[in-house]
Amino acid sequence: MSKTKSAFFCQDCGHESPKWLGKCPGCHSWNTLIEEIKVKKSSSSPFSRKASEANPKQLNEIQEKDNPKFSLNDSELNRVLGGGVVQGSLILIGGDPGIGKSTLMLQLAIKENIKILYVSGEESEQQIKMRAERIGIENQSCFILTETNLDAILNHTSSIEPKLIVIDSIQTLHSNQIESAPGSVSQVRECTSQLLRLAKEKNIAILLIGHITKDGSIAGPKVLEHMVDTVLQFEGDRNHMYRLLRTSKNRFGSTNEIGIYEMQNNGLRIVENPSEILVTNSDSDLSGVAISATLEGLRPFLIEIQALVSSAVYGTPQRSSTGYDSKRLNMLLAVLEKRCGFKLGAKDVFLNIAGGIKVDDPGIDLAVSMAVLSSNANLAIPEGIAFSAEVGLSGEIRPVNRIDQRISEVEKLGFKKIIISNNIKGFDSKKYGIEIVQCSKIDEVVRNVFS
Ligand code: TYD
Ligand code: MG
């Protein structure tokens, strides 16, 4: 039996070295040598493809499978995956430590009634059981395996024959064929490519959890992004309860969808109507609060924008924004100063988007400007008004995409009035039951709201 050999290759110039070196002797660049397999055993993996197995075929010769997608019990995951999990696909879920990746995956594994193998290299069986009890679902078709050796996992897979495998996390796996430590770039890459082969050959969907760390010693999921079919990003503010699941790559669906969850004591709850939680329905009239309709992907929801404007104590006024681009905030402040004559130059401005979410939709510009003006004048925006428009450099109110969806969402949540741009082609305001005010300049909006 020939033994697997590995060598170190420079990722820049391809120089080969039998041992690791900090500096490549070929191109003199630092930290570019990475271990790679040189000669594989002829039957190294039980799933290796034989040369004669695949033949070239014409498109019409390829048989379609009856149902290549199967849907999960989790409607948000189905949505971000484009309607369900494609059989034989490899899905990577990345996210900061502690965001809830393991919880999401375990919850998925024990909610489903299909055969699932949940492999954890991070927690013991007892810890997983405790987490499952916390989530509170009993399930007979989910197998838990605590293992980090890839070859052992592959062996278990052939005996259990699951329909779906969850790996928590790819950075803890190691293959016998490579000597470097688990989590190194070459291990992560080798393990993923073996799992990819398993997924495609046995038609098993595999969900990989990948960590993102600032520490260079653990390979980030970036290395894997080109290998997998779908990349999901689980994000949110760890101090807030809401978590967003986004797609940054999807070979089988759109990357525009998001899923929203709320972290509770007993696991992650699906948030079906995000607007209701992101907008506080307080009765008291507070200045500096404006509501905007925004879109995340194709999903409309309302957000609450809070601004605080106060006289600067120190010479240079502070501008700080959470959840919104601070450069864009500065631009809006300049527009308000120059085009509308509000003296904001000597004021501290703090902006916050409630719920700890980040928005980069220009459609919330108008609401940001109105929140700032409301706080500056210490006048509350009357209840029941929402905004949805972009603000241009000359103070003009510009249209935003998918205005129909935004208006419907505002109407659904019982608002009385929405302010939008007057420059929308083919727009018919009569088909809505809500008052629609169309403005062309920001001072028009100010007059409409505060008079
Ligand atoms: P975890 O899934 O372990 O994060 P990751 O795998 O991404 O590192 O989630 C950890 C956090 O979630 C932890 O801070 C506790 C919290 N949590 C809850 O609030 N409720 C729960 O039911 C569970 C299981 C976890
Ligand atoms: Mg985890």
Side-chain angles (χ1 to χ4, degrees), residues 432-450:
Y432 303 98
I434 177 174
E435 185 191 345
I436 295 174
V437 179
Q438 295 189 270
C439 295
S440 62
K441 286 277 174 200
I442 196 148
D443 19 351
E444 238 177 89
V445 183
V446 175
R447 255 176 275 131
N448 188 294
V449 171
F450 294 114

PDB file of all heavy atoms in Angstrom, residues 432-450:
ATOM      1  N   TYR A 432     -54.228  51.933  -3.419  1.00  0.00           N
ATOM      2  CA  TYR A 432     -53.913  51.638  -2.021  1.00  0.00           C
ATOM      3  C   TYR A 432     -54.945  52.282  -1.104  1.00  0.00           C
ATOM      4  O   TYR A 432     -55.496  53.344  -1.425  1.00  0.00           O
ATOM      5  CB  TYR A 432     -52.531  52.154  -1.647  1.00  0.00           C
ATOM      6  CG  TYR A 432     -51.449  51.608  -2.531  1.00  0.00           C
ATOM      7  CD1 TYR A 432     -50.970  52.356  -3.603  1.00  0.00           C
ATOM      8  CD2 TYR A 432     -50.922  50.348  -2.304  1.00  0.00           C
ATOM      9  CE1 TYR A 432     -49.996  51.852  -4.436  1.00  0.00           C
ATOM     10  CE2 TYR A 432     -49.944  49.838  -3.137  1.00  0.00           C
ATOM     11  CZ  TYR A 432     -49.489  50.588  -4.199  1.00  0.00           C
ATOM     12  OH  TYR A 432     -48.530  50.081  -5.014  1.00  0.00           O
ATOM     13  N   GLY A 433     -55.130  51.710   0.051  1.00  0.00           N
ATOM     14  CA  GLY A 433     -56.081  52.268   1.001  1.00  0.00           C
ATOM     15  C   GLY A 433     -55.445  53.262   1.954  1.00  0.00           C
ATOM     16  O   GLY A 433     -56.080  53.749   2.875  1.00  0.00           O
ATOM     17  N   ILE A 434     -54.163  53.563   1.747  1.00  0.00           N
ATOM     18  CA  ILE A 434     -53.412  54.423   2.656  1.00  0.00           C
ATOM     19  C   ILE A 434     -53.161  55.757   1.955  1.00  0.00           C
ATOM     20  O   ILE A 434     -53.072  55.807   0.722  1.00  0.00           O
ATOM     21  CB  ILE A 434     -52.091  53.699   3.031  1.00  0.00           C
ATOM     22  CG1 ILE A 434     -51.196  54.549   3.921  1.00  0.00           C
ATOM     23  CG2 ILE A 434     -51.335  53.291   1.815  1.00  0.00           C
ATOM     24  CD1 ILE A 434     -49.960  53.774   4.400  1.00  0.00           C
ATOM     25  N   GLU A 435     -53.047  56.831   2.711  1.00  0.00           N
ATOM     26  CA  GLU A 435     -52.776  58.128   2.092  1.00  0.00           C
ATOM     27  C   GLU A 435     -51.327  58.156   1.594  1.00  0.00           C
ATOM     28  O   GLU A 435     -50.397  57.876   2.359  1.00  0.00           O
ATOM     29  CB  GLU A 435     -52.999  59.257   3.114  1.00  0.00           C
ATOM     30  CG  GLU A 435     -52.838  60.633   2.495  1.00  0.00           C
ATOM     31  CD  GLU A 435     -52.797  61.757   3.524  1.00  0.00           C
ATOM     32  OE1 GLU A 435     -53.165  61.523   4.701  1.00  0.00           O
ATOM     33  OE2 GLU A 435     -52.386  62.857   3.170  1.00  0.00           O
ATOM     34  N   ILE A 436     -51.164  58.503   0.330  1.00  0.00           N
ATOM     35  CA  ILE A 436     -49.811  58.544  -0.228  1.00  0.00           C
ATOM     36  C   ILE A 436     -49.463  59.979  -0.572  1.00  0.00           C
ATOM     37  O   ILE A 436     -50.178  60.638  -1.330  1.00  0.00           O
ATOM     38  CB  ILE A 436     -49.699  57.635  -1.467  1.00  0.00           C
ATOM     39  CG1 ILE A 436     -49.904  56.183  -1.017  1.00  0.00           C
ATOM     40  CG2 ILE A 436     -48.353  57.784  -2.140  1.00  0.00           C
ATOM     41  CD1 ILE A 436     -49.963  55.194  -2.112  1.00  0.00           C
ATOM     42  N   VAL A 437     -48.384  60.474   0.010  1.00  0.00           N
ATOM     43  CA  VAL A 437     -47.962  61.844  -0.259  1.00  0.00           C
ATOM     44  C   VAL A 437     -46.707  61.762  -1.110  1.00  0.00           C
ATOM     45  O   VAL A 437     -45.726  61.131  -0.725  1.00  0.00           O
ATOM     46  CB  VAL A 437     -47.671  62.592   1.052  1.00  0.00           C
ATOM     47  CG1 VAL A 437     -47.215  64.009   0.759  1.00  0.00           C
ATOM     48  CG2 VAL A 437     -48.889  62.603   1.940  1.00  0.00           C
ATOM     49  N   GLN A 438     -46.739  62.413  -2.277  1.00  0.00           N
ATOM     50  CA  GLN A 438     -45.575  62.369  -3.161  1.00  0.00           C
ATOM     51  C   GLN A 438     -44.890  63.727  -3.150  1.00  0.00           C
ATOM     52  O   GLN A 438     -45.509  64.743  -3.437  1.00  0.00           O
ATOM     53  CB  GLN A 438     -46.018  61.985  -4.570  1.00  0.00           C
ATOM     54  CG  GLN A 438     -46.575  60.570  -4.612  1.00  0.00           C
ATOM     55  CD  GLN A 438     -46.805  60.090  -6.027  1.00  0.00           C
ATOM     56  OE1 GLN A 438     -47.871  60.279  -6.587  1.00  0.00           O
ATOM     57  NE2 GLN A 438     -45.796  59.481  -6.606  1.00  0.00           N
ATOM     58  N   CYS A 439     -43.635  63.745  -2.795  1.00  0.00           N
ATOM     59  CA  CYS A 439     -42.893  64.996  -2.676  1.00  0.00           C
ATOM     60  C   CYS A 439     -41.708  64.996  -3.628  1.00  0.00           C
ATOM     61  O   CYS A 439     -41.200  63.939  -4.010  1.00  0.00           O
ATOM     62  CB  CYS A 439     -42.373  65.175  -1.256  1.00  0.00           C
ATOM     63  SG  CYS A 439     -43.689  65.351  -0.055  1.00  0.00           S
ATOM     64  N   SER A 440     -41.248  66.228  -3.987  1.00  0.00           N
ATOM     65  CA  SER A 440     -40.086  66.279  -4.867  1.00  0.00           C
ATOM     66  C   SER A 440     -38.853  66.823  -4.149  1.00  0.00           C
ATOM     67  O   SER A 440     -37.735  66.544  -4.543  1.00  0.00           O
ATOM     68  CB  SER A 440     -40.388  67.129  -6.098  1.00  0.00           C
ATOM     69  OG  SER A 440     -40.665  68.448  -5.689  1.00  0.00           O
ATOM     70  N   LYS A 441     -39.048  67.614  -3.073  1.00  0.00           N
ATOM     71  CA  LYS A 441     -37.905  68.185  -2.354  1.00  0.00           C
ATOM     72  C   LYS A 441     -38.044  67.903  -0.867  1.00  0.00           C
ATOM     73  O   LYS A 441     -39.156  67.746  -0.363  1.00  0.00           O
ATOM     74  CB  LYS A 441     -37.895  69.724  -2.548  1.00  0.00           C
ATOM     75  CG  LYS A 441     -37.458  70.157  -3.922  1.00  0.00           C
ATOM     76  CD  LYS A 441     -35.955  70.191  -4.017  1.00  0.00           C
ATOM     77  CE  LYS A 441     -35.546  70.486  -5.460  1.00  0.00           C
ATOM     78  NZ  LYS A 441     -34.201  70.092  -5.762  1.00  0.00           N
ATOM     79  N   ILE A 442     -36.922  67.936  -0.180  1.00  0.00           N
ATOM     80  CA  ILE A 442     -36.982  67.580   1.227  1.00  0.00           C
ATOM     81  C   ILE A 442     -37.732  68.634   2.052  1.00  0.00           C
ATOM     82  O   ILE A 442     -38.438  68.292   2.999  1.00  0.00           O
ATOM     83  CB  ILE A 442     -35.572  67.272   1.778  1.00  0.00           C
ATOM     84  CG1 ILE A 442     -35.687  66.535   3.113  1.00  0.00           C
ATOM     85  CG2 ILE A 442     -34.717  68.499   1.921  1.00  0.00           C
ATOM     86  CD1 ILE A 442     -34.597  65.582   3.369  1.00  0.00           C
ATOM     87  N   ASP A 443     -37.662  69.916   1.656  1.00  0.00           N
ATOM     88  CA  ASP A 443     -38.400  70.924   2.447  1.00  0.00           C
ATOM     89  C   ASP A 443     -39.914  70.742   2.337  1.00  0.00           C
ATOM     90  O   ASP A 443     -40.651  71.041   3.257  1.00  0.00           O
ATOM     91  CB  ASP A 443     -37.990  72.369   2.113  1.00  0.00           C
ATOM     92  CG  ASP A 443     -37.282  72.525   0.795  1.00  0.00           C
ATOM     93  OD1 ASP A 443     -36.949  71.481   0.201  1.00  0.00           O
ATOM     94  OD2 ASP A 443     -37.055  73.657   0.360  1.00  0.00           O
ATOM     95  N   GLU A 444     -40.354  70.198   1.199  1.00  0.00           N
ATOM     96  CA  GLU A 444     -41.779  69.882   1.043  1.00  0.00           C
ATOM     97  C   GLU A 444     -42.200  68.830   2.074  1.00  0.00           C
ATOM     98  O   GLU A 444     -43.266  68.933   2.683  1.00  0.00           O
ATOM     99  CB  GLU A 444     -41.980  69.275  -0.356  1.00  0.00           C
ATOM    100  CG  GLU A 444     -42.940  69.989  -1.254  1.00  0.00           C
ATOM    101  CD  GLU A 444     -42.950  69.276  -2.607  1.00  0.00           C
ATOM    102  OE1 GLU A 444     -43.742  68.346  -2.791  1.00  0.00           O
ATOM    103  OE2 GLU A 444     -42.108  69.636  -3.460  1.00  0.00           O
ATOM    104  N   VAL A 445     -41.336  67.843   2.265  1.00  0.00           N
ATOM    105  CA  VAL A 445     -41.633  66.787   3.239  1.00  0.00           C
ATOM    106  C   VAL A 445     -41.704  67.392   4.636  1.00  0.00           C
ATOM    107  O   VAL A 445     -42.611  67.099   5.411  1.00  0.00           O
ATOM    108  CB  VAL A 445     -40.541  65.680   3.205  1.00  0.00           C
ATOM    109  CG1 VAL A 445     -40.886  64.557   4.164  1.00  0.00           C
ATOM    110  CG2 VAL A 445     -40.356  65.140   1.814  1.00  0.00           C
ATOM    111  N   VAL A 446     -40.735  68.279   4.947  1.00  0.00           N
ATOM    112  CA  VAL A 446     -40.696  68.898   6.270  1.00  0.00           C
ATOM    113  C   VAL A 446     -41.989  69.646   6.529  1.00  0.00           C
ATOM    114  O   VAL A 446     -42.624  69.507   7.571  1.00  0.00           O
ATOM    115  CB  VAL A 446     -39.484  69.856   6.383  1.00  0.00           C
ATOM    116  CG1 VAL A 446     -39.497  70.603   7.710  1.00  0.00           C
ATOM    117  CG2 VAL A 446     -38.187  69.087   6.230  1.00  0.00           C
ATOM    118  N   ARG A 447     -42.451  70.413   5.531  1.00  0.00           N
ATOM    119  CA  ARG A 447     -43.692  71.185   5.682  1.00  0.00           C
ATOM    120  C   ARG A 447     -44.876  70.248   5.883  1.00  0.00           C
ATOM    121  O   ARG A 447     -45.725  70.462   6.732  1.00  0.00           O
ATOM    122  CB  ARG A 447     -43.925  72.062   4.434  1.00  0.00           C
ATOM    123  CG  ARG A 447     -43.609  73.533   4.713  1.00  0.00           C
ATOM    124  CD  ARG A 447     -43.760  74.363   3.459  1.00  0.00           C
ATOM    125  NE  ARG A 447     -42.545  74.334   2.662  1.00  0.00           N
ATOM    126  CZ  ARG A 447     -42.495  74.091   1.352  1.00  0.00           C
ATOM    127  NH1 ARG A 447     -43.592  73.848   0.665  1.00  0.00           N
ATOM    128  NH2 ARG A 447     -41.342  74.096   0.716  1.00  0.00           N
ATOM    129  N   ASN A 448     -44.905  69.168   5.111  1.00  0.00           N
ATOM    130  CA  ASN A 448     -46.026  68.258   5.202  1.00  0.00           C
ATOM    131  C   ASN A 448     -46.102  67.573   6.582  1.00  0.00           C
ATOM    132  O   ASN A 448     -47.172  67.385   7.136  1.00  0.00           O
ATOM    133  CB  ASN A 448     -45.889  67.203   4.098  1.00  0.00           C
ATOM    134  CG  ASN A 448     -47.123  66.346   4.001  1.00  0.00           C
ATOM    135  OD1 ASN A 448     -47.419  65.602   4.928  1.00  0.00           O
ATOM    136  ND2 ASN A 448     -47.845  66.451   2.905  1.00  0.00           N
ATOM    137  N   VAL A 449     -44.941  67.203   7.116  1.00  0.00           N
ATOM    138  CA  VAL A 449     -44.929  66.422   8.352  1.00  0.00           C
ATOM    139  C   VAL A 449     -45.148  67.316   9.583  1.00  0.00           C
ATOM    140  O   VAL A 449     -45.920  66.958  10.467  1.00  0.00           O
ATOM    141  CB  VAL A 449     -43.587  65.674   8.477  1.00  0.00           C
ATOM    142  CG1 VAL A 449     -43.444  65.041   9.853  1.00  0.00           C
ATOM    143  CG2 VAL A 449     -43.474  64.614   7.412  1.00  0.00           C
ATOM    144  N   PHE A 450     -44.496  68.463   9.604  1.00  0.00           N
ATOM    145  CA  PHE A 450     -44.507  69.246  10.851  1.00  0.00           C
ATOM    146  C   PHE A 450     -45.545  70.384  10.885  1.00  0.00           C
ATOM    147  O   PHE A 450     -45.652  71.061  11.879  1.00  0.00           O
ATOM    148  CB  PHE A 450     -43.115  69.806  11.140  1.00  0.00           C
ATOM    149  CG  PHE A 450     -42.115  68.726  11.442  1.00  0.00           C
ATOM    150  CD1 PHE A 450     -41.049  68.477  10.591  1.00  0.00           C
ATOM    151  CD2 PHE A 450     -42.244  67.932  12.583  1.00  0.00           C
ATOM    152  CE1 PHE A 450     -40.139  67.475  10.855  1.00  0.00           C
ATOM    153  CE2 PHE A 450     -41.322  66.919  12.857  1.00  0.00           C
ATOM    154  CZ  PHE A 450     -40.283  66.702  11.988  1.00  0.00           C
TER     155      PHE A 450
END
